[in-house]
Amino acid sequence: MFESILENILRSKPIVHCITNFVTVNDCANIILAGGGSPTMAHHRDEVEEITEKSQSLVLNLGNVHEVDSMILAGKKSNALEHPVVIDPVGIGVSKLRNETFKKLSQSIHFSVIRGNISEIKGIANEKGITKGKSMTKGVDANETDKVTQDNLEEVVAMAKRLSEAMDSVIAISGAIDIVAGKEKAYVIRNGHPIMAKVTGTGCMSTALIGAFCGGNPNNILEATSAAVAAMGVSGDIAFEKMERFEGGTMMFRMFLIDSISNMTSEIINGGMSIEEM
Amino acid sequence: MFESILENILRSKPIVHCITNFVTVNDCANIILAGGGSPTMAHHRDEVEEITEKSQSLVLNLGNVHEVDSMILAGKKSNALEHPVVIDPVGIGVSKLRNETFKKLSQSIHFSVIRGNISEIKGIANEKGITKGKSMTKGVDANETDKVTQDNLEEVVAMAKRLSEAMDSVIAISGAIDIVAGKEKAYVIRNGHPIMAKVTGTGCMSTALIGAFCGGNPNNILEATSAAVAAMGVSGDIAFEKMERFEGGTMMFRMFLIDSISNMTSEIINGGMSIEEM
Amino acid sequence: MFESILENILRSKPIVHCITNFVTVNDCANIILAGGGSPTMAHHRDEVEEITEKSQSLVLNLGNVHEVDSMILAGKKSNALEHPVVIDPVGIGVSKLRNETFKKLSQSIHFSVIRGNISEIKGIANEKGITKGKSMTKGVDANETDKVTQDNLEEVVAMAKRLSEAMDSVIAISGAIDIVAGKEKAYVIRNGHPIMAKVTGTGCMSTALIGAFCGGNPNNILEATSAAVAAMGVSGDIAFEKMERFEGGTMMFRMFLIDSISNMTSEIINGGMSIEEM
């Protein structure tokens, strides 16, 4: 599985244009490079259209709420060029500004992929009338009460599929159990380690990597996104093991996480991943 | 010592709202996570009040002089909610803009803790008329002539206590000898390693960690700040030893510094720290 | 070779004022510290002149196109004070904005050193009428077709010397083969490893390190720049070896790259470097 996905990235070395937040921008650039892409983190409104034109995909991150105009310019251009557009709705629900910014972006741009934690995705689903409930997000982390477990898995997958249909986007939900859903088909991936939540930006990095994988596979967004999510999960497993071997902590884990992406092969993914179609 | 301080953080997992500089923001977020908090690095003026409202403490960093309006909005809101507000006066004395910005902030916001190097703290003490002298700061590092030694320790502690009284803030001075001073009581901590000055942002990280410790212990600011400073120092000792074992340099030291915070327990702090009340 | 260059940095501990991009700013600050300098990353227009006045060199990075006014203020002040000014024309050729910004900067400021990849330097040479051709830059990485090889080396060195004369700047070209050219003399350095291109910001870091080396050696820009480039190359060799020993990837390589700069001596450089005068 995923052989051709990885080959396409290594062969085409897609340029990934990211308009992302300043907290995790360096990690995002490095994970794109590790995954075989070439990152360009330009966000000045006077150049984003030109940059996008020379790129193969676009990654938007709601953490950079200052740059909504640049995001819209780049997003519209990407849509016109039929480049994949991946959005990370970081912190949706924590402020009116973020909710309104997301709304504005989604009215102007078609997203190929939306990747967030379960609280962020539920926030969007509530907004679209797919689920009923009040967004409970307090910070940038998922709420305990929202978390995906074996018990609510079927229900969450069904929600993700409906949201995928409503938004015409692949929906990727990160957590202890990862879900990547199209309208009719979803992948459930059980890899990675809880320590990922103790490193800032593992979500942003996942989104950036999805941008690289989709940039190299623009006609196969569901599989490309699943492969990126699986690569992150398997790398998380490898990184945790190495971290323990060298008696490190969260920063050593981050190093080995990106290192493992840089050493990733389809053999390693296939050997390590636990994936299920639903 | 400090058992309950650490327990309170792990139990409450405080959300720490940081308006900080873009140089060290990633390290600050990661050290807050390592210390048991949850970082939110939002700085757009249209959302900072809402973010602060959902947080347990606020960390301001003068390195981000662009965001003074956001800092004032967030600081006033935090004061109203009685959340701890921690400020890092990075580079005070290097420019009129920073001096004026600090003045403006201190006129609008009550700081629970002010953490800086000795030159930065002396700059504030001079401004408040507590010491006489000319601020000699040339860059973001402390001046050689200002440094705290065994010889001037008593004098510096007395100055810090007076400044604590004048500002109604706990004063934390980082250096070869760390001082954390309230109006009447001060802790002197002799941990850490000179190599910390060869890594950018160890000061900012210390301030961020104080934000997490105070967020979990809002009624015990002096002890929470001392515990954070001691945790940094002990982690610096551990990190230096590990760095030598693996024949690394300054970046490996940084990794092990945050790693050690992520593995910190009150047993490790108590076993490693050299603390004295003055 | 280079003994006095390194000694001068360690003795004077130059303050290096950087106005650089937010993607790699942390790595740039850390490599300046590792190399013996003291970084100050201030970019607010109301303080850059004061900051530059207290510094020994200035590093500008076109990746931060938002701050052109600050760059011009700081650059003019540095020129007046006869401080070395080093520029990194990141992404020149990818957008009209970057081309115009570079033009504007070069009309206002004299650069001591221009460091870029071959595509960026060729872009400037084309603009100055030194070479004929169309800038082919698609992203922030050099184009395959531009790359310096044994076959075109003489031609590229001659171009770099002519550009050095036209701009009155030392020209540093990074790649598999590095070139540092004055008007009449050039150094060709064959160190480093292709994996450097898989880590974001190795170019920016190289520029920052040149800023530190020139800050400590303002009267010997060609040798200082060559020493910095050689130090980066030798550190790349050491870092790759260590990365393989610990079975790491691109992020471990980055750690050991800066670590090796922090442990650098003239003995290590001289023992490891492959340098040739042309």
Side-chain angles (χ1 to χ4, degrees):
Chain A
M1 203 176 173
F2 298 145
E3 281 82 3
S4 63
I5 299 283
L6 290 182
E7 273 165 32
N8 288 339
I9 300 161
L10 297 176
R11 205 193 56 242
S12 64
K13 210 188 164 191
I15 297 179
V16 184
H17 180 196
C18 300
I19 303 179
T20 190
N21 71 71
F22 76 134
V23 185
T24 64
V25 59
N26 182 272
D27 291 327
C28 289
N30 273 317
I31 208 162
I32 288 170
L33 281 162
S38 172
T40 307
M41 320 311 269
H43 57 118
H44 195 296
R45 74 166 78 180
D46 293 345
E47 66 173 8
V48 288
E49 289 173 293
E50 270 175 282
I51 303 281
T52 280
E53 218 166 339
K54 292 171 180 162
S55 304
Q56 275 70 55
S57 62
L58 176 67
V59 173
L60 304 176
N61 184 298
L62 200 59
N64 192 347
V65 270
H66 288 75
E67 301 291 359
V68 56
D69 293 343
S70 294
M71 290 194 201
I72 289 174
L73 287 169
K76 283 185 169 174
K77 176 65 85 178
S78 277
N79 280 171
L81 296 165
E82 300 188 4
H83 291 174
V85 179
V86 184
I87 189 158
D88 191 326
V90 178
I92 197 167
V94 299
S95 74
K96 280 190 210 83
L97 178 67
R98 298 213 182 190
N99 293 349
E100 279 160 20
T101 302
F102 184 79
K103 205 168 179 181
K104 214 164 147 185
L105 291 172
S106 64
Q107 283 164 349
S108 312
I109 307 167
H110 166 247
F111 306 129
S112 314
V113 185
I114 305 173
R115 191 222 62 86
N117 65 40
I118 180 64
S119 299
E120 290 159 350
I121 297 298
K122 275 177 98 170
I124 299 169
N126 288 344
E127 190 65 37
K128 300 295 287 185
I130 287 167
T131 50
K132 278 176 200 169
K134 209 170 143 276
S135 174
M136 298 290 288
T137 314
K138 287 182 301 178
V140 294
D141 299 321
N143 294 319
E144 282 301 325
T145 51
D146 286 337
K147 289 199 170 160
V148 182
T149 60
Q150 204 53 43
D151 286 345
N152 65 12
L153 180 59
E154 249 181 83
E155 186 192 335
V156 177
V157 168
M159 177 275 283
K161 285 179 178 174
R162 285 200 302 276
L163 185 58
S164 174
E165 180 145 31
M167 301 289 291
D168 191 24
S169 310
V170 166
I171 305 298
I173 303 172
S174 302
I177 303 174
D178 296 318
I179 297 164
V180 180
K183 287 158 221 178
E184 286 160 8
K185 194 162 76 169
Y187 290 106
V188 173
I189 298 160
R190 288 182 176 84
N191 288 97
H193 191 273
I195 200 175
M196 292 175 96
K198 303 292 277 181
V199 173
T200 196
T202 47
C204 302
M205 288 182 231
S206 187
T207 306
L209 194 66
I210 292 170
F213 276 50
C214 290
N217 297 276
N219 300 316
N220 201 357
I221 298 298
L222 180 64
E223 266 68 32
T225 302
S226 303
V229 169
M232 279 299 282
V234 173
S235 292
D237 293 333
I238 297 170
F240 185 74
E241 200 191 296
K242 287 197 173 180
M243 182 201 84
E244 289 208 307
R245 197 190 326 154
F246 290 106
E247 294 167 34
T250 52
M251 287 300 93
M252 187 184 279
F253 175 80
R254 174 178 68 173
M255 177 179 74
F256 281 129
L257 179 68
I258 304 179
D259 278 1
S260 300
I261 295 290
S262 77
N263 293 324
M264 190 54 62
T265 62
S266 50
E267 287 75 30
I268 298 176
I269 297 189
N270 288 332
M273 80 181 164
S274 160
I275 196 166
E276 180 191 357
E277 207 181 306
M278 270 183 83
Chain B
M1 204 175 172
F2 298 145
E3 281 82 4
S4 63
I5 300 283
L6 290 182
E7 272 164 34
N8 288 339
I9 301 161
L10 296 177
R11 206 194 53 243
S12 65
K13 210 188 165 193
I15 297 179
V16 185
H17 180 195
C18 300
I19 304 179
T20 188
N21 71 72
F22 74 135
V23 185
T24 64
V25 60
N26 182 272
D27 292 327
C28 289
N30 273 317
I31 208 161
I32 287 170
L33 281 163
S38 171
T40 307
M41 319 311 267
H43 57 117
H44 195 298
R45 76 166 76 182
D46 294 344
E47 66 173 6
V48 287
E49 289 173 293
E50 269 175 283
I51 302 282
T52 280
E53 219 166 337
K54 292 172 180 162
S55 305
Q56 277 70 55
S57 63
L58 176 67
V59 174
L60 305 176
N61 184 297
L62 200 58
N64 193 346
V65 271
H66 288 76
E67 301 291 0
V68 56
D69 293 343
S70 294
M71 290 194 201
I72 288 174
L73 287 169
K76 283 184 169 173
K77 176 64 82 178
S78 278
N79 281 171
L81 296 166
E82 299 187 6
H83 291 172
V85 179
V86 185
I87 190 161
D88 191 326
V90 177
I92 197 167
V94 299
S95 74
K96 279 191 208 82
L97 177 67
R98 298 215 182 188
N99 293 349
E100 279 159 20
T101 302
F102 183 79
K103 205 168 178 179
K104 213 164 147 183
L105 291 172
S106 64
Q107 282 164 350
S108 313
I109 308 166
H110 166 248
F111 306 128
S112 313
V113 185
I114 305 173
R115 191 223 61 88
N117 65 40
I118 180 64
S119 297
E120 289 159 352
I121 297 299
K122 276 178 98 171
I124 299 169
N126 288 344
E127 190 65 37
K128 300 295 288 184
I130 286 166
T131 50
K132 278 175 200 170
K134 207 168 144 280
S135 174
M136 298 289 288
T137 314
K138 287 182 302 177
V140 293
D141 298 322
N143 294 319
E144 282 301 326
T145 52
D146 286 336
K147 288 202 170 158
V148 182
T149 60
Q150 205 51 45
D151 286 345
N152 66 11
L153 179 61
E154 249 180 83
E155 187 191 335
V156 176
V157 168
M159 177 275 285
K161 285 178 177 172
R162 285 200 302 276
L163 184 58
S164 174
E165 179 144 33
M167 302 288 293
D168 189 25
S169 310
V170 166
I171 306 297
I173 303 172
S174 301
I177 302 174
D178 296 319
I179 296 164
V180 180
K183 287 158 222 180
E184 284 160 10
K185 192 162 79 170
Y187 290 105
V188 173
I189 297 159
R190 288 181 177 83
N191 288 98
H193 190 274
I195 200 175
M196 291 175 97
K198 303 292 278 180
V199 174
T200 195
T202 47
C204 303
M205 287 182 232
S206 187
T207 305
L209 194 65
I210 291 170
F213 277 51
C214 290
N217 298 275
N219 301 317
N220 201 357
I221 299 297
L222 180 64
E223 267 69 31
T225 303
S226 303
V229 169
M232 280 299 281
V234 173
S235 292
D237 294 334
I238 297 170
F240 186 74
E241 201 191 295
K242 287 197 172 180
M243 182 201 85
E244 290 208 306
R245 197 187 330 151
F246 290 105
E247 294 168 34
T250 52
M251 287 302 92
M252 187 185 279
F253 175 80
R254 175 179 67 174
M255 177 180 74
F256 281 129
L257 179 69
I258 303 179
D259 278 1
S260 300
I261 294 291
S262 77
N263 293 325
M264 190 55 63
T265 61
S266 50
E267 287 74 31
I268 298 176
I269 297 189
N270 288 331
M273 81 180 162
S274 160
I275 196 167
E276 181 192 356
E277 207 183 307
M278 269 182 85
Chain C
M1 204 174 171
F2 298 145
E3 281 82 2
S4 63
I5 299 282
L6 290 182
E7 274 165 31
N8 288 339
I9 300 161
L10 296 177
R11 207 193 54 243
S12 65
K13 209 188 165 193
I15 297 179
V16 184
H17 180 195
C18 300
I19 304 179
T20 190
N21 72 71
F22 75 134
V23 185
T24 64
V25 59
N26 182 271
D27 292 327
C28 289
N30 274 316
I31 207 161
I32 288 170
L33 281 162
S38 171
T40 307
M41 320 310 268
H43 57 117
H44 195 296
R45 74 166 77 184
D46 294 344
E47 66 173 6
V48 288
E49 289 174 293
E50 270 174 283
I51 303 282
T52 280
E53 218 166 337
K54 291 172 180 161
S55 305
Q56 276 69 56
S57 62
L58 176 67
V59 173
L60 305 177
N61 184 297
L62 200 58
N64 193 345
V65 271
H66 288 77
E67 300 291 359
V68 56
D69 292 343
S70 294
M71 290 194 200
I72 289 174
L73 287 169
K76 283 185 169 173
K77 176 64 84 179
S78 277
N79 281 171
L81 296 165
E82 300 187 4
H83 291 172
V85 179
V86 185
I87 190 158
D88 191 325
V90 177
I92 197 166
V94 299
S95 73
K96 281 191 208 82
L97 178 67
R98 299 215 182 189
N99 293 350
E100 279 160 20
T101 302
F102 184 78
K103 205 168 179 180
K104 213 164 147 185
L105 291 171
S106 65
Q107 283 165 349
S108 312
I109 308 167
H110 166 246
F111 306 129
S112 312
V113 184
I114 305 173
R115 192 223 60 87
N117 65 40
I118 180 64
S119 297
E120 290 159 351
I121 297 297
K122 275 178 98 171
I124 299 170
N126 288 344
E127 189 66 35
K128 300 295 286 183
I130 286 166
T131 50
K132 280 177 197 167
K134 208 170 143 281
S135 174
M136 297 289 288
T137 314
K138 287 182 301 179
V140 295
D141 299 321
N143 295 317
E144 283 301 323
T145 52
D146 286 336
K147 288 202 171 158
V148 181
T149 61
Q150 204 52 43
D151 286 346
N152 65 11
L153 179 60
E154 250 181 81
E155 188 192 333
V156 176
V157 169
M159 177 275 283
K161 285 179 177 172
R162 285 199 303 277
L163 184 58
S164 174
E165 179 145 32
M167 301 289 294
D168 191 24
S169 310
V170 165
I171 305 298
I173 303 172
S174 301
I177 303 175
D178 296 319
I179 298 164
V180 181
K183 288 157 219 179
E184 286 160 8
K185 195 163 76 170
Y187 290 106
V188 173
I189 298 159
R190 288 182 177 82
N191 288 97
H193 191 273
I195 200 175
M196 291 173 97
K198 303 292 278 180
V199 174
T200 195
T202 47
C204 303
M205 288 182 230
S206 187
T207 306
L209 193 66
I210 291 170
F213 276 50
C214 290
N217 297 276
N219 301 315
N220 200 359
I221 298 297
L222 181 64
E223 266 69 31
T225 303
S226 303
V229 170
M232 279 298 282
V234 173
S235 292
D237 294 333
I238 297 170
F240 185 74
E241 202 191 294
K242 288 197 172 176
M243 182 201 84
E244 289 207 307
R245 199 191 324 154
F246 289 106
E247 295 168 32
T250 52
M251 288 301 91
M252 187 185 279
F253 175 80
R254 174 179 67 174
M255 177 180 74
F256 281 131
L257 179 68
I258 303 179
D259 278 0
S260 300
I261 294 290
S262 78
N263 293 324
M264 190 55 63
T265 62
S266 49
E267 288 74 31
I268 297 175
I269 297 189
N270 288 330
M273 80 180 162
S274 160
I275 195 166
E276 181 191 357
E277 206 182 306
M278 271 183 83

